Amino acid sequence: MGRTAQVSSYFSDPYNLTSMESRICLLGFSGSVLSLIFSTLEEMAWSQPVLILENIEVMDEVPFQSKVPYRRIWHEEYIPQPGDAYCFSVLKPAIKKTVFDFFLSHHGITRDRYMSIVHPSVVMSASSIVDNGVYIEPGCVISPYAKIGFGVSVNRGCTIGHHTHIDDFTTVNPGTHIAGHCKVGAHSSIGIGTTVFDHITIGSGCVIGGGSVVNRNITDDVQAFGNPCKVKVKVE
């Protein structure tokens, strides 16, 4: 069962993240995701230190500000500490996987060291299962017996139906509604405002265009969009 920053009776905390010695380390850099994560932590009155591990040069001139204590360092300067917990601050599935592989090979950071951050406004069934490394934004509903895999991002205002499984590193973009008994494969991206009907399977490595209505199964490694959603091109 995943670790999360949300105060909830059905998430465990094996690394004692409420201790002042623990740090959240944000891996990968995306300015929009970073601000949303810190907004979530501020609403939770999070007081533990946060370490932002940069992997690109930051070009914006406006300094990032937050009430939550944080420090930014270049990823090559990072020295892991035993109590550190990790979370992705990037949404693209391929980049999340690349970031995970990098820190696994360079620092031995395995999946069990990642935590999940779930906004307090999220409605989540006690019977749902959320793996490590997950980020769920405000206004989402996670229905009974849904399963959210490792490194999944669920953006604002999404609904994940009952008994639906979202596999590792996938991103569900804002306003998407996935009905019950669906399966979304690993490393896929579901576009803004997509609707997925009951009992639909979307393969691994798929890109579903925004506003699509998915009423039939979608095979692996394709780009598909439209109403009804149709395969347009094979992803190389």
Side-chain angles (χ1 to χ4, degrees), residues 20-193:
M20 290 303 294
E21 291 76 24
S22 298
R23 297 183 299 184
I24 297 177
C25 299
L26 301 179
L27 308 182
F29 179 80
S30 172
S32 60
V33 181
L34 197 66
S35 62
L36 286 166
I37 288 175
F38 272 91
S39 176
T40 297
L41 294 175
E42 286 181 9
E43 290 194 35
M44 296 164 56
W46 192 264
S47 59
Q48 286 86 338
V50 175
L51 194 61
I52 304 170
L53 305 185
E54 305 282 16
N55 66 338
I56 62 172
E57 295 291 344
V58 182
M59 303 303 294
D60 53 4
E61 298 180 358
V62 180
F64 179 79
Q65 295 182 344
S66 174
K67 298 177 183 177
V68 176
Y70 74 92
R71 186 162 62 95
R72 306 175 88 144
I73 65 170
W74 190 247
H75 67 85
E76 293 179 346
E77 301 172 359
Y78 172 63
I79 300 175
Q81 301 298 318
D84 286 350
Y86 304 89
C87 190
F88 297 104
S89 59
V90 63
L91 292 180
K92 290 185 177 180
I95 298 179
K96 283 188 285 189
K97 182 62 164 57
T98 298
V99 168
F100 172 78
D101 289 343
F102 175 87
F103 282 94
L104 176 62
S105 61
H106 284 72
H107 298 296
I109 298 169
T110 53
R111 291 188 175 205
D112 62 298
R113 299 296 305 278
Y114 285 76
M115 66 178 294
S116 293
I117 296 178
V118 179
H119 192 274
S121 68
V122 172
V123 178
M124 182 178 297
S125 170
S127 61
S128 60
I129 299 174
V130 175
D131 206 336
N132 295 353
V134 170
Y135 176 53
I136 305 180
E137 290 187 359
C140 293
V141 176
I142 311 298
S143 302
Y145 303 103
K147 184 177 180 181
I148 310 297
F150 178 81
V152 168
S153 304
V154 183
N155 289 270
R156 296 177 300 279
C158 292
T159 300
I160 308 299
H162 62 91
H163 298 89
T164 285
H165 180 193
I166 312 295
D167 213 345
D168 297 351
F169 295 108
T170 283
T171 292
V172 182
N173 284 292
T176 289
H177 301 288
I178 303 177
H181 293 280
C182 291
K183 162 79 173 177
V184 181
H187 310 98
S188 291
S189 179
I190 311 300
I192 293 172

